[in-house]
Amino acid sequence: MQIKELLKQTPNEQEVTVKGWVRTKRGQAAVTFIAINDGSTINNIQAVVEGGIVDEETLKLVSTGACVAVTGKLIASMGSGQAVEVKAEKVVVYGTADETFPMQPKKHSMEFLREKAHLRFRTNTFGAVFRIRHALAYAVHKFYNDNGFFYLHTPIITASDAEGAGEMFHVTNFDLANPPKAEDGSIDYSEDFFGRQTSLTVSGQLEGELGALALSKIYTFGPTFRAENSNTTRHLAEFWMIEPEVAFYELEDNMALAEDFVQYVIRYALENCAEDLAFLEKRLLEEEKNKPQNERSELSLIEKLKFVVENKFERLTYTEAIEILLRSKPHKEKKFQYPVEWGIDLQSEHERYLVEKHFKKPVILTNYPKEIKAFYMKQDEDGKTVRAMDVLFPGIGEIIGGSQREDDYEKLLTRTKEVGIDPENIWWYLETRKFGSAPHSGFGLGFERLVLFVTGMTNIRDVIPFPRTPKNAEF
């Protein structure tokens, strides 16, 4: 039985066996207390070993980091902090850990723990983070399944750039020291494994749309890759994306879906990860004590999550948002770092002002200038804006980006050429607008962005088990 379940048991001197890793060991010859954790919960269970029950040589091997199995009676705990404990009768040491074990019970920096990512799961912080990550992933699948969506596996290797950003990892089978060359000296990709230049995907959206235009409601949830040479706390080279696409949904339906979805998964975490969230909330409060007052969060972690779950999202257009920002005190007093004018790509500081100061609730902005948005977004009647939507959250700004997709073949073809994409490369995408085209919409949510928000961690590298970033592919 896992520790999570054992801690719920009524103690009746029933025989139990606890298996896990030693967090701490203390005591003298008369009695030894061993705190054991198996990862099923943030809470340890205490094993009490009275003198003479277990031979000294075995007890010497029990140290922080060692893996043990303790068999004994489940009894009511004499100490504070736990309701039950195990009165040990037998201790088996599966694996020892000496004093060089890096996760000794003391405060470690996040940077140190990133260097020890193979062991950081054994800390309270990362145990909590990855249990919450699991709960959120489960909630994503449950939400879409319960709402009639089909889970579509889109390709990881692709010949198209869905974002048009060009920052993609190339996939090749060539000998890089001697690739075949065409007559003009360029690399001849027709000789490569796939017969053309291919990359790791940045998004499953384009293929997702193909599924939606037959299955009506699909979602993707898979790894995506971006070769952006960025070392910020918000960027990863490998990350997971959730991308629903729905036939017959227009912009208003898309906004409602996004709101329902994020509220559902965050509510699921609040209801099912209470102990882990309470621990992370306390951790965040401690961390923020070292920050200047103006940089501290106005809301505690759980208050911030409830802020999203309990408030109706405010909806307004990009143009209305620009007008609010132009009238705002920070703009008039030149407190914004970035200028405000119609046509700009809003910065995090602008988005956070709208959410945290002006509306005091999550915000969905719509109808952005077409020049700052992707080619596949449906154009508005004015010819200047597109039916885009971004969902903005406290503390981070944009968490979801989406749109109604352009369903008019001629408009999509024109826009494709305008942004410099060769229509031949996405002939299959364009063709769906020729045969039974339909209004349809979708959005993308970076899963690590969501986990970052829910856990209160401040660096995206701390919410994925083994982060991939520039100059770093360890583990």
Side-chain angles (χ1 to χ4, degrees), residues 66-90:
C67 185
V68 298
V70 176
T71 301
K73 301 271 195 302
L74 191 69
I75 61 170
S77 179
M78 299 295 172
S80 61
Q82 69 274 326
V84 297
E85 61 191 19
V86 178
K87 186 178 180 184
E89 294 169 354
K90 181 183 175 187

Side-chain angles (χ1 to χ4, degrees), residues 387-398:
R387 306 211 82 202
M389 60 159 229
D390 283 356
V391 179
L392 314 181
F393 270 16
I396 54 170
E398 184 205 334

Side-chain angles (χ1 to χ4, degrees), residues 153-344:
H153 296 115
T154 52
I156 288 173
I157 297 172
T158 179
S160 64
D161 177 359
E163 300 294 323
E167 294 167 330
M168 301 177 79
F169 288 103
H170 300 300
V171 176
T172 181
N173 223 23
F174 284 156
D175 172 2
L176 296 182
N178 189 28
K181 300 284 179 71
E183 283 183 16
D184 63 1
S186 63
I187 293 172
D188 183 4
Y189 284 101
S190 68
E191 296 286 315
D192 208 349
F193 186 92
F194 294 105
R196 62 197 299 185
Q197 190 171 358
T198 54
S199 307
L200 295 178
T201 186
V202 295
S203 166
Q205 180 206 316
L206 300 191
E207 293 88 350
E209 285 185 54
L210 312 183
L213 290 171
L215 298 170
S216 288
K217 298 167 90 170
I218 69 93
Y219 73 104
T220 75
F221 187 177
T224 50
F225 309 84
R226 190 162 293 172
E228 189 177 350
N229 190 15
S230 177
N231 263 311
T232 75
T233 57
R234 293 173 59 148
H235 288 90
L236 290 166
E238 177 185 83
F239 50 99
W240 288 66
M241 285 291 289
I242 299 152
E243 295 171 298
E245 290 290 330
V246 194
F248 317 115
Y249 267 34
E250 299 197 10
L251 186 63
E252 293 71 21
D253 308 303
N254 206 29
M255 289 191 278
L257 176 67
E259 181 171 351
D260 289 348
F261 167 54
V262 288
Q263 287 188 331
Y264 178 91
V265 294
I266 291 172
R267 190 180 298 114
Y268 185 89
L270 282 166
E271 290 171 0
N272 293 276
C273 306
E275 290 180 331
D276 286 328
L277 286 170
F279 171 82
L280 291 171
E281 178 174 71
K282 195 174 169 190
R283 181 199 160 274
L284 187 61
L285 283 171
E286 286 298 315
E287 188 180 83
E288 293 212 325
K289 281 180 185 174
N290 302 320
K291 290 183 178 177
Q293 191 66 41
N294 64 327
E295 287 180 28
R296 294 181 195 176
S297 307
E298 289 184 20
L299 302 172
S300 72
L301 177 59
I302 291 168
E303 284 171 345
K304 186 179 70 172
L305 301 182
K306 287 181 175 175
F307 175 91
V308 170
V309 167
E310 294 170 1
N311 279 303
K312 186 89 183 121
F313 293 13
E314 187 72 33
R315 290 157 166 73
L316 69 156
T317 66
Y318 168 93
T319 301
E320 289 166 338
I322 290 291
E323 287 166 1
I324 289 168
L325 290 167
L326 288 171
R327 293 195 303 267
S328 73
K329 198 172 171 186
H331 174 70
K332 288 177 177 172
E333 294 178 359
K334 296 187 166 47
K335 294 252 175 87
F336 283 137
Q337 188 181 343
Y338 295 93
V340 177
E341 62 180 351
W342 199 94
I344 64 158

